[in-house]
Amino acid sequence: MRSELNIWVAGGDLRQAKLAELLAADGHTVHTYALDCGEPLSGVLPESGPAGAALADCVILPLPAEEEGGLLHAPLWKEPVPLTSLLAPLRPGQLVCAGMAGPGLTALAEARGLILRDYFAREELAVANAVPTAEGAIQLAMEELPITLHRARVLVLGCGRISRALAPRLVALGARVSVAARKWAHLAWAESWGCTGEHIGQLEGWLCGYDLVINTVPAPVLGEVQLADLKPGCLVIDLASKPGGVDFQAAARLGVKVIWALSLPGKVAPVTAGQCIQTTIYNILHEMGV
Amino acid sequence: MRSELNIWVAGGDLRQAKLAELLAADGHTVHTYALDCGEPLSGVLPESGPAGAALADCVILPLPAEEEGGLLHAPLWKEPVPLTSLLAPLRPGQLVCAGMAGPGLTALAEARGLILRDYFAREELAVANAVPTAEGAIQLAMEELPITLHRARVLVLGCGRISRALAPRLVALGARVSVAARKWAHLAWAESWGCTGEHIGQLEGWLCGYDLVINTVPAPVLGEVQLADLKPGCLVIDLASKPGGVDFQAAARLGVKVIWALSLPGKVAPVTAGQCIQTTIYNILHEMGV
Amino acid sequence: MRSELNIWVAGGDLRQAKLAELLAADGHTVHTYALDCGEPLSGVLPESGPAGAALADCVILPLPAEEEGGLLHAPLWKEPVPLTSLLAPLRPGQLVCAGMAGPGLTALAEARGLILRDYFAREELAVANAVPTAEGAIQLAMEELPITLHRARVLVLGCGRISRALAPRLVALGARVSVAARKWAHLAWAESWGCTGEHIGQLEGWLCGYDLVINTVPAPVLGEVQLADLKPGCLVIDLASKPGGVDFQAAARLGVKVIWALSLPGKVAPVTAGQCIQTTIYNILHEMGV
Amino acid sequence: MRSELNIWVAGGDLRQAKLAELLAADGHTVHTYALDCGEPLSGVLPESGPAGAALADCVILPLPAEEEGGLLHAPLWKEPVPLTSLLAPLRPGQLVCAGMAGPGLTALAEARGLILRDYFAREELAVANAVPTAEGAIQLAMEELPITLHRARVLVLGCGRISRALAPRLVALGARVSVAARKWAHLAWAESWGCTGEHIGQLEGWLCGYDLVINTVPAPVLGEVQLADLKPGCLVIDLASKPGGVDFQAAARLGVKVIWALSLPGKVAPVTAGQCIQTTIYNILHEMGV
């Protein structure tokens, strides 16, 4: 990767602003567009129109990149920015990095011969984001529970990236953690971390022992039967992306408190989240030989 | 300790209410007085006047026990309860356990020939409370910082009970932790936990590296010079009891954010805090051969 | 899985004997063959000829199952046991579980219509075995190094199952750990565990900082150039299966101490290793509806 | 502390030799006497007679310093070195640092007007040495037990410095740890580390559950009754200094395997042990304003 690049950062929220500052701090020339934090960003060149993007080594769109109606996701900008006009100045072959590139953006980039890379689809970002997600879940649990996580009985549903970051941290804080999963190998991982492994299909009858249940599985795992089995006061945190893993209506009927916590990295640790994206974009640039 | 005691719980807040429930759940006969949570406490006998306390094996006053004017600390009670009238029915030789027994209560107990034990003065409660205090500090840091504790640079001032619970937990969460202390042995403990040991008298010039500073020393350690040395955005959490360890006025002038977090156990984990008191009272009863 | 099975355990070493005892302790009827530990195994029926195996719900062969010449691996038996004669009494459809089933055993089982399952090929056993492997590597490092692992600088090569069990344990013991890998996601995992991620292709020039290098990659990663870059006294532990990852001849020339540690679970923790196999066999039986 | 001192290192074993090298590496002028490792020490001046010690800023005697008969502890020296002749060239007011200074050395130093400091008596060295002691105990347990420490049931007797270093490390490795102590506060610390606290006076009847018992209490805690209660195969490691805490004869009668492991730092991690002494001597010099 070249040590001085011309990077153009468009749209997004404070995380995107922080990303611009981090890139500038590394010595790159950074422009922003449609990103107004109310005060100048440290080391970043003043806002300019989209025309300058024609010279950029890399254009970075936010996470998510696109809003309904073919618009750039730009919550800190006063007026709507159509992606078509944003990308109009770019030349074929220019690199655009975007988070969660939808079909509109993908078609547009293809039509214009742009190289589009979705950084949110990359494994290393998902792994890195698991840490702020885990910390966010710990923060929520600490805020809501009247007991300490130390010695709390916690059930983590699923054994993917988030659970792999979360379960060992809960153990380190002194919680007694069970991990429920379907694959034998996942149960073996749970044991390796000092947790108990439980079959996710056989939870009923055992759920009454937990003070906290954290779901990471994006499929219906906590239905009415399971929720009814929880002990009074048990907190449920659902980290799974839509449609989530909890029957929210049943929970409301049963009086079970459920927090559906999505997109935690940008909310609980925007600066860290910006750094994770920065690393991923550097990896993309490195692979492309920029 | 006898397995069925007659215990009388007076005054206090939700923590005291939870303590009453925990004692009842262990099989003791528990009465409350001046403690109205709006709903009945599980397993606890209905409120009654103070007269019944004459039969109690142990009367438990809250933490703190006493308010100005010789009153019981009873925030969940509709009218003031003078300690004199509260203790009037008790017979000489009866056991009263109280948290932070002040001179008023002490004199009163002595005059009436009561056996007064201050559970808050006991080492095991201070050690046990260090865990919810540490979790409370971690929660505050997670709430306030835009970065994760993972890889954050943290300075813990002091090496007493709270630091001994806090520093290893921060390390376990992936923070890079320095512990500042005065005694060589404390610096050796810091190294043992995987932290760096720093002399607390030589902090100036080194403070700009930290994202978070947590003070546990109840003496002026973060004055204007030290606060001015912090990097912009560094969060300061002061866990030290009054007068605290931070020059709050200088911090305000310098724009340093300081959170003075006192009495965390009862705030962040009232149930755990109640359990800690329960264990301590059992220890007292055990020692007295009750 | 039925709670009382007829299990027949043949060949193997102390680990296999322990496995027989563990199965018996769970209430199964267990016979052994070609497994003489010099004293009776607790709860296990006396040795008998292979004929009785015809009634077994499951026949368990050791890890490895097979020796050159079509023989059962039976180091605790006085005479060679051909697999053909061992399997002769079995009826078509009977279940045989074996570790590292070679082509000879596989062909034999197929010819006789037996259901052969290789428990060593299963992911959950590999995950479970990573724990004793990690502990074995830690034990070797403690034995050989004149320094503590606490504050030692350690490089772990590779980011597979063994590294995932090993690196967090080294961190927990206070070592400063780098993990070298090729995939970006693996470097992100290293960071998540509190390690530093290093590109495995760019180690030269950075190897002189380590007190200990542990390889898990079964490919040539520590050649003459890398070995020459190590500091004097650096210990190398190679956990990779044949051909290993170290140029052993170059290491000998350069005076670098290398320990090639294979099959650690059976060596350092035979009882735990037996338990891991037991769990895996139960999983197989569960899947087959036995 | 001055950055260049004249230091004279006498007697001792490889740990003392390593200490000399570490002091030389820090830029000090270092002489040795009665310390022959067979090869020159890096950066250290050649052996010379004791006369030169008259110019030393600090004379460092080994740990232990003294052998029976008023001799220097000098296992790497060909002939006995009386402390009287060793200290003869020193002038009144010169500093001598020694480990475990006995009455002979103390009297001698006083008679000659030397300033004698016993570094082994200092708290910070005891704290620092607890880490290699803990690692040594872990190494022994890994070597002797046929199971992993992961999921092993371990009882640690005592709650002093060694237990404070050892118990959290065992927990981090996945062991299920109980800590037995007498003081309520120590039981609270055990809970804080994620262990179970047990009253050390009430062990009988509960000892059959452990795979490993590690004693740190230098008083008879494991007598015949307790040893008889251990389960077959339970390993006992006694870390307590003489007379130890185990009835070794009863253990032999009962067939309980006991390892009495003394002075582990110098044995399992001599370089780290040398560093610990170096730090302590620097602290002494710092306090004396040298």
Side-chain angles (χ1 to χ4, degrees):
Chain A
M1 205 181 97
R2 296 207 319 273
S3 59
E4 272 189 58
L5 296 170
N6 184 341
I7 301 178
W8 205 69
V9 175
D13 51 17
L14 286 174
R15 179 167 42 169
Q16 185 86 333
K18 187 66 202 178
L19 173 60
E21 289 187 333
L22 289 166
L23 292 164
D26 275 358
H28 303 298
T29 302
V30 179
H31 297 264
T32 61
Y33 178 67
L35 178 56
D36 181 4
C37 298
E39 49 185 34
L41 298 176
S42 168
V44 174
L45 295 174
E47 285 279 339
S48 62
L55 299 172
D57 294 299
C58 178
V59 171
I60 302 177
L61 304 187
L63 166 62
E66 199 170 351
E67 278 181 0
E68 234 172 284
L71 298 178
L72 175 71
H73 177 65
L76 298 178
W77 197 241
K78 48 200 172 294
E79 55 201 32
V81 180
L83 284 167
T84 44
S85 63
L86 180 77
L87 300 181
L90 298 187
R91 293 161 294 114
Q94 268 191 288
L95 174 65
V96 176
C97 291
M100 297 180 84
L105 176 57
T106 306
L108 198 58
E110 202 177 337
R112 297 193 49 83
L114 302 172
I115 300 172
L116 178 66
R117 290 286 180 274
D118 188 341
Y119 52 78
F120 191 70
R122 291 176 66 101
E123 177 76 3
E124 75 262 35
L125 183 59
V127 172
N129 269 339
V131 174
T133 300
E135 285 203 10
I138 287 169
Q139 176 187 324
L140 284 169
M142 286 178 167
E143 286 167 355
E144 296 293 331
L145 288 174
I147 57 171
T148 52
L149 283 177
H150 178 71
R151 302 187 77 76
R153 296 183 183 277
V154 184
L155 176 65
V156 176
L157 296 167
C159 193
R161 285 178 299 250
I162 291 173
S163 297
R164 284 167 194 234
L166 177 57
R169 280 168 171 77
L170 290 168
V171 169
L173 289 170
R176 298 145 180 194
V177 184
S178 297
V179 174
R182 200 169 301 281
K183 292 186 188 167
W184 306 116
H186 285 176
L187 302 182
W189 276 121
E191 299 269 327
S192 174
W193 304 327
C195 306
T196 305
E198 303 283 353
H199 286 270
I200 204 167
Q202 302 164 13
L203 295 174
E204 301 92 63
W206 299 94
L207 286 162
C208 58
Y210 297 106
D211 302 302
L212 170 65
V213 175
I214 303 177
N215 176 52
T216 70
V217 182
V221 285
L222 290 175
E224 179 135 23
V225 174
Q226 289 80 22
L227 292 166
D229 201 19
L230 297 175
K231 79 170 173 192
C234 177
L235 174 69
V236 176
I237 298 177
D238 192 357
L239 301 175
S241 50
K242 288 178 189 172
V246 180
D247 182 336
F248 296 98
Q249 294 183 326
R253 273 198 305 277
L254 292 161
V256 175
K257 175 150 197 181
V258 183
I259 300 174
W260 194 7
L262 296 179
S263 308
L264 282 177
K267 289 173 191 162
V268 301
V271 172
T272 300
Q275 288 167 333
C276 294
I277 293 174
Q278 179 193 25
T279 299
T280 306
I281 285 171
Y282 283 176
N283 293 347
I284 293 171
L285 293 167
H286 183 96
E287 286 172 3
M288 300 187 66
V290 175
Chain B
M1 207 180 97
R2 296 208 318 274
S3 58
E4 271 188 60
L5 296 169
N6 183 343
I7 301 179
W8 206 69
V9 175
D13 52 17
L14 287 174
R15 178 168 43 171
Q16 185 86 334
K18 187 68 202 175
L19 173 60
E21 289 187 333
L22 289 166
L23 291 165
D26 274 358
H28 302 298
T29 303
V30 180
H31 297 262
T32 61
Y33 178 67
L35 177 55
D36 181 4
C37 298
E39 50 185 33
L41 299 176
S42 167
V44 174
L45 296 174
E47 285 280 338
S48 60
L55 298 173
D57 294 298
C58 177
V59 171
I60 302 178
L61 303 188
L63 165 62
E66 198 170 352
E67 278 181 1
E68 234 172 284
L71 299 178
L72 175 70
H73 176 67
L76 298 177
W77 198 241
K78 48 202 173 293
E79 53 201 33
V81 179
L83 285 168
T84 44
S85 63
L86 180 78
L87 300 182
L90 298 188
R91 292 163 292 115
Q94 268 191 289
L95 174 64
V96 176
C97 292
M100 296 179 85
L105 176 57
T106 306
L108 198 57
E110 203 178 336
R112 296 194 50 82
L114 303 172
I115 300 173
L116 178 66
R117 290 286 180 274
D118 187 341
Y119 52 79
F120 192 68
R122 291 176 66 102
E123 177 74 3
E124 75 262 34
L125 183 59
V127 171
N129 269 339
V131 174
T133 300
E135 285 204 10
I138 287 169
Q139 176 187 325
L140 285 170
M142 286 178 166
E143 286 167 355
E144 296 292 332
L145 288 174
I147 57 172
T148 53
L149 283 177
H150 179 71
R151 302 187 77 76
R153 295 182 184 277
V154 183
L155 175 65
V156 176
L157 296 167
C159 194
R161 284 178 299 251
I162 292 173
S163 297
R164 283 167 195 236
L166 177 57
R169 280 168 171 78
L170 290 168
V171 169
L173 288 170
R176 297 147 181 192
V177 184
S178 297
V179 174
R182 201 170 301 282
K183 292 186 189 165
W184 305 116
H186 285 176
L187 301 182
W189 275 121
E191 299 269 329
S192 174
W193 304 328
C195 306
T196 305
E198 302 281 353
H199 286 270
I200 204 167
Q202 302 165 14
L203 295 174
E204 301 93 65
W206 300 94
L207 286 162
C208 58
Y210 297 106
D211 302 302
L212 170 64
V213 175
I214 302 177
N215 176 53
T216 70
V217 182
V221 284
L222 289 175
E224 180 135 25
V225 174
Q226 289 79 22
L227 291 166
D229 201 18
L230 297 174
K231 78 171 173 191
C234 177
L235 175 69
V236 176
I237 297 177
D238 192 357
L239 301 175
S241 51
K242 288 178 189 173
V246 180
D247 182 336
F248 296 98
Q249 295 184 326
R253 274 198 305 279
L254 290 161
V256 175
K257 174 149 197 182
V258 183
I259 299 174
W260 194 7
L262 296 178
S263 308
L264 283 177
K267 289 174 191 162
V268 301
V271 172
T272 300
Q275 288 167 331
C276 294
I277 292 173
Q278 180 193 25
T279 300
T280 306
I281 285 171
Y282 283 175
N283 293 347
I284 292 171
L285 293 167
H286 183 97
E287 286 171 4
M288 299 187 66
V290 174
Chain C
M1 206 180 97
R2 298 209 316 274
S3 59
E4 271 189 60
L5 296 170
N6 182 344
I7 300 178
W8 206 69
V9 175
D13 51 18
L14 287 174
R15 179 168 43 170
Q16 185 86 336
K18 186 68 202 176
L19 173 60
E21 288 187 333
L22 290 166
L23 291 164
D26 274 358
H28 302 299
T29 302
V30 179
H31 296 263
T32 60
Y33 178 68
L35 177 55
D36 181 3
C37 298
E39 50 185 34
L41 299 176
S42 166
V44 174
L45 296 175
E47 286 278 340
S48 62
L55 299 172
D57 294 298
C58 178
V59 172
I60 302 177
L61 304 188
L63 166 62
E66 197 170 354
E67 279 181 1
E68 234 172 284
L71 298 178
L72 174 71
H73 176 67
L76 298 177
W77 198 241
K78 48 203 173 291
E79 53 201 33
V81 179
L83 285 168
T84 44
S85 64
L86 180 77
L87 301 182
L90 297 188
R91 293 162 293 114
Q94 269 191 288
L95 173 64
V96 176
C97 292
M100 296 179 86
L105 176 57
T106 305
L108 198 57
E110 203 177 336
R112 296 194 51 84
L114 303 172
I115 299 173
L116 178 66
R117 289 288 180 271
D118 188 341
Y119 51 79
F120 192 68
R122 291 176 66 100
E123 177 74 3
E124 76 262 34
L125 183 59
V127 171
N129 269 339
V131 174
T133 300
E135 285 204 11
I138 287 169
Q139 176 187 325
L140 284 170
M142 286 179 166
E143 286 167 354
E144 295 292 331
L145 288 175
I147 57 172
T148 53
L149 283 177
H150 178 71
R151 302 187 76 75
R153 296 182 183 276
V154 184
L155 176 65
V156 175
L157 296 167
C159 193
R161 286 178 298 253
I162 292 173
S163 297
R164 283 167 195 236
L166 177 57
R169 281 170 171 76
L170 290 168
V171 169
L173 289 170
R176 298 146 180 191
V177 183
S178 297
V179 174
R182 200 170 302 281
K183 292 186 189 166
W184 305 115
H186 285 175
L187 301 182
W189 275 120
E191 299 270 328
S192 174
W193 304 328
C195 307
T196 305
E198 303 280 353
H199 286 269
I200 204 167
Q202 302 165 15
L203 295 174
E204 300 94 63
W206 300 94
L207 286 162
C208 58
Y210 297 106
D211 301 303
L212 171 64
V213 175
I214 302 177
N215 176 53
T216 70
V217 182
V221 284
L222 290 175
E224 180 136 24
V225 173
Q226 289 80 21
L227 291 166
D229 201 19
L230 297 174
K231 79 171 173 190
C234 178
L235 175 70
V236 176
I237 298 176
D238 192 357
L239 302 174
S241 52
K242 290 177 188 173
V246 180
D247 182 336
F248 296 97
Q249 294 183 327
R253 273 197 305 277
L254 290 162
V256 175
K257 175 149 197 182
V258 184
I259 299 174
W260 194 8
L262 295 179
S263 308
L264 282 177
K267 289 174 189 162
V268 301
V271 172
T272 300
Q275 288 166 333
C276 294
I277 292 173
Q278 179 193 24
T279 299
T280 306
I281 285 170
Y282 282 175
N283 294 347
I284 292 170
L285 293 166
H286 183 97
E287 287 172 3
M288 299 187 66
V290 175
Chain D
M1 206 182 95
R2 298 208 317 274
S3 59
E4 272 190 58
L5 295 170
N6 183 342
I7 301 178
W8 206 70
V9 175
D13 51 18
L14 286 174
R15 177 169 43 170
Q16 184 86 335
K18 188 65 202 180
L19 173 60
E21 289 187 333
L22 289 166
L23 292 164
D26 275 357
H28 303 298
T29 302
V30 179
H31 298 262
T32 61
Y33 178 67
L35 177 55
D36 181 4
C37 298
E39 49 184 35
L41 299 176
S42 167
V44 173
L45 296 175
E47 287 277 339
S48 62
L55 299 172
D57 294 299
C58 178
V59 171
I60 302 177
L61 304 188
L63 166 62
E66 199 171 352
E67 279 180 1
E68 233 174 285
L71 299 178
L72 175 71
H73 176 65
L76 299 177
W77 197 242
K78 48 200 173 293
E79 55 201 32
V81 179
L83 284 168
T84 43
S85 62
L86 179 78
L87 300 182
L90 297 187
R91 293 162 294 114
Q94 267 190 289
L95 174 64
V96 176
C97 291
M100 296 179 84
L105 176 56
T106 305
L108 198 58
E110 202 177 338
R112 297 195 49 83
L114 301 173
I115 300 172
L116 178 66
R117 290 286 181 273
D118 188 340
Y119 52 79
F120 191 69
R122 291 176 66 100
E123 177 74 4
E124 76 261 34
L125 183 59
V127 172
N129 269 340
V131 174
T133 300
E135 286 204 10
I138 288 169
Q139 176 188 324
L140 284 169
M142 287 178 166
E143 285 167 355
E144 296 292 332
L145 289 174
I147 57 171
T148 53
L149 283 177
H150 179 71
R151 302 186 76 78
R153 295 184 184 276
V154 184
L155 176 65
V156 175
L157 296 167
C159 194
R161 286 178 298 251
I162 291 173
S163 297
R164 283 167 194 236
L166 177 57
R169 279 168 172 77
L170 290 168
V171 169
L173 288 170
R176 298 146 181 193
V177 183
S178 296
V179 174
R182 199 169 301 282
K183 292 186 188 167
W184 306 116
H186 285 177
L187 301 182
W189 275 120
E191 299 271 327
S192 174
W193 304 328
C195 306
T196 305
E198 302 282 354
H199 286 269
I200 204 167
Q202 302 165 14
L203 295 174
E204 300 94 63
W206 300 94
L207 286 162
C208 58
Y210 298 106
D211 301 303
L212 170 65
V213 175
I214 303 178
N215 176 52
T216 70
V217 182
V221 285
L222 289 175
E224 180 136 23
V225 174
Q226 289 80 20
L227 292 166
D229 201 18
L230 297 174
K231 80 170 172 190
C234 177
L235 174 69
V236 176
I237 297 177
D238 192 357
L239 302 174
S241 51
K242 289 178 189 171
V246 180
D247 182 336
F248 295 98
Q249 293 183 328
R253 272 197 306 277
L254 291 161
V256 175
K257 175 150 196 180
V258 183
I259 300 174
W260 195 6
L262 297 178
S263 308
L264 282 177
K267 289 173 190 162
V268 301
V271 171
T272 300
Q275 287 167 333
C276 294
I277 293 174
Q278 179 193 26
T279 299
T280 306
I281 285 171
Y282 282 176
N283 293 347
I284 293 171
L285 293 167
H286 183 96
E287 286 172 4
M288 300 186 66
V290 174

